[in-house]
Amino acid sequence: TATRTNTLYQSQYDIDRNQLSLGWKGTIGKTTSSLRAYQSKVDITNKATNGVTPTVPQNLKDTILEGNISVSVGEKHLITAGLEHRIEKLENPNLSNGEDDFTLNSIYVQDEIDLTENTLITLGTRFDDHETFGNEISPRASIVWNATDKLILKGSYGHGFRAPNIKQVSPGYTFPIGIFVIASNPDLKPETNDALEIGANYSTDKYTINAAVFDNKVKNLIDTRFDSFLPGGVIQRWTYDNIDEARLKGAEISSKVELGEDFHLTGSYQYLDAKDGTGQRLDRRPRHTLSAGVLWEKNSWKLNLNAEHLADQLIENTRVITEVPDYTLWNVGVRKSINKNIEFAAGIENLTDVRLEDKSAGFRHEEYPRTLRLELRGNF
């Protein structure tokens, strides 16, 4: 990459991830309960060549304690209640006192009602209490009707609440990504949305088809906006910001077909119409997303080939919105069970080595180049 004074250098990141979880689950009569504690930590350090100062190190720790209890009441109701306690902690030299933390507490309750033999209604609500962004009540409701032994019809409504994460609002936080510097915004507001969805599922022994239409109305959508060029005119500063109103609506369809005893064909298509409150299309949200894949399974072998095609996408770059070219990503993989305890897998992502910078200068991101991944998994 290049510095503000056009000095070329190589940047190398060392990313260490650690995850730890402990869970318990028990059943007494018609009551089932569970308790789970888990923590994830990410440490990031940087090295740079050619005398360039590396980016500052940072550490993000996410600690969550959650539990729930489910009780059958009569023949028609299954009531579930739960709670969640979450702490986000960020360590970064640019922050006040070198660190910041957030606490979020949530409780929820839902009732699954067997209205008839073929109809299930779910009613629920969630209460979130964020130490910085206050509280929010989020109701939800859904209905599932087994119209026939092959056709299932569904409908749902849900209100959602998403507080900004700690990196997005902690004063002084910035992080460089190539020629971009992403900066926090202490004035960022939490995002809320109201989502409606109607769908259907049709299944036979040979194939399955899922279809749905959706309509999401969002307030204070969390996004980024171009702020300015830093001295030297090369590095762009982008800041987290809210879009007052947005609406994301569309349709999606997916299917799985058996092509004989060992082959399966999958496919999906999504149409997305995403606009802000003024009717301007939102960037980085392709209007058409098409994916397809074929899977072969025999004995202990699994081979898969899949592709994803993204089309009709706008991207904002320094306040200029550009329509970027369509592109397709191919992936291939193989998985083999050595025995009941050990499994080996290998895969190639971005098989054709698509480079977005070669397609258009309008892209603000790059896909990973052709990448080989190896995995050895054991259990005991």
Side-chain angles (χ1 to χ4, degrees):
T1 187
T3 66
R4 303 175 195 177
T5 57
N6 285 324
T7 299
L8 297 178
Y9 71 99
Q10 187 178 60
S11 179
Q12 178 180 336
Y13 284 94
D14 181 17
I15 303 175
D16 291 327
R17 303 177 186 272
N18 293 279
Q19 293 178 307
L20 177 67
S21 65
L22 180 65
W24 169 87
K25 186 175 182 179
T27 301
I28 300 177
K30 295 183 178 181
T31 302
T32 301
S33 56
S34 66
L35 187 64
R36 186 182 179 209
Y38 52 103
Q39 185 181 82
S40 64
K41 293 192 295 182
V42 180
D43 285 291
I44 301 177
T45 55
N46 176 247
K47 295 179 181 179
T49 63
N50 209 13
V52 174
T53 302
T55 60
V56 297
Q58 60 176 296
N59 174 278
L60 178 64
K61 182 166 65 176
D62 205 4
T63 305
I64 300 174
L65 175 66
E66 62 180 15
N68 64 64
I69 183 170
S70 296
V71 182
S72 294
V73 179
E75 300 295 328
K76 298 287 187 179
H77 299 266
L78 176 62
I79 298 176
T80 301
L83 56 84
E84 179 182 303
H85 176 69
R86 181 171 189 162
I87 301 175
E88 284 184 276
K89 184 177 181 180
L90 176 65
E91 297 179 2
N92 184 289
N94 292 333
L95 303 181
S96 176
N97 300 320
E99 63 179 44
D100 200 359
D101 62 80
F102 282 167
T103 299
L104 172 66
N105 293 304
S106 306
I107 58 174
Y108 61 89
V109 61
Q110 74 172 24
D111 185 7
E112 298 178 48
I113 308 168
D114 288 322
L115 192 64
T116 69
E117 183 178 348
N118 298 320
T119 306
L120 176 68
I121 293 179
T122 302
L123 303 174
T125 189
R126 179 185 176 97
F127 176 79
D128 291 294
D129 182 24
H130 197 288
E131 67 168 327
T132 301
F133 298 104
N135 53 65
E136 185 84 8
I137 296 175
S138 303
R140 64 181 296 266
S142 67
I143 182 170
V144 178
W145 177 40
N146 292 278
T148 69
D149 59 346
K150 297 180 180 178
L151 177 63
I152 301 174
L153 302 178
K154 307 174 184 179
S156 67
Y157 160 78
H159 178 80
F161 168 81
R162 184 169 75 94
N165 65 47
I166 196 166
K167 291 184 177 183
Q168 293 171 333
V169 294
S170 294
Y173 178 81
T174 60
F175 191 75
I177 306 174
I179 64 169
F180 303 100
V181 170
I182 310 299
S184 64
N185 180 0
D187 297 323
L188 207 59
K189 301 175 184 177
E191 178 181 306
T192 60
N193 78 291
D194 291 280
L196 285 169
E197 183 172 330
I198 299 174
N201 170 276
Y202 188 83
S203 299
T204 70
D205 294 336
K206 295 295 184 181
Y207 63 89
T208 300
I209 299 176
N210 291 286
V213 293
F214 56 88
D215 189 353
N216 295 338
K217 297 179 180 179
V218 188
K219 291 185 178 179
N220 297 317
L221 177 68
I222 298 173
D223 208 335
T224 56
R225 60 170 170 80
F226 173 73
D227 193 345
S228 61
F229 282 103
L230 296 180
V234 176
I235 306 299
Q236 300 177 23
R237 178 185 171 94
W238 288 72
T239 303
Y240 287 106
D241 203 0
N242 292 114
I243 297 175
D244 292 339
E245 294 183 358
R247 190 170 185 179
L248 295 84
K249 56 183 179 178
E252 53 189 7
I253 184 169
S254 63
S255 64
K256 181 178 181 180
V257 182
E258 290 189 17
L259 300 176
E261 184 178 351
D262 304 319
F263 285 90
H264 303 277
L265 180 66
T266 61
S268 66
Y269 168 74
Q270 182 190 74
Y271 172 81
L272 176 64
D273 181 26
K275 297 178 180 178
D276 63 17
T278 66
Q280 171 64 49
R281 281 184 59 189
L282 299 177
D283 74 327
R284 291 171 292 126
R285 291 169 175 85
R287 181 165 279 173
H288 307 284
T289 302
L290 178 67
S291 64
V294 60
L295 172 66
W296 176 77
E297 295 183 81
K298 193 171 182 65
N299 300 326
S300 58
W301 287 91
K302 292 182 181 179
L303 287 122
N304 68 279
L305 174 67
N306 60 72
E308 183 180 49
H309 181 73
L310 293 87
D312 195 359
Q313 181 177 192
L314 302 179
I315 292 184
E316 180 184 356
N317 207 331
T318 63
R319 299 196 181 99
V320 176
I321 295 179
T322 303
E323 184 173 351
V324 294
D326 307 344
Y327 66 95
T328 304
L329 298 175
W330 289 85
N331 306 297
V332 63
V334 59
R335 189 172 292 272
K336 174 71 167 68
S337 296
I338 308 301
N339 55 46
K340 66 178 183 179
N341 301 110
I342 300 176
E343 186 179 63
F344 170 79
I348 301 176
E349 299 176 5
N350 194 358
L351 185 63
T352 57
D353 199 24
V354 172
R355 301 295 180 111
L356 299 186
E357 64 180 359
D358 294 336
K359 291 181 171 292
S360 171
F363 284 105
R364 272 171 46 199
H365 70 285
E366 264 290 3
E367 297 287 351
Y368 272 106
R370 184 186 295 115
T371 304
L372 172 65
R373 297 190 183 274
L374 302 175
E375 177 184 311
L376 184 65
R377 177 174 296 181
N379 62 76
F380 57 91

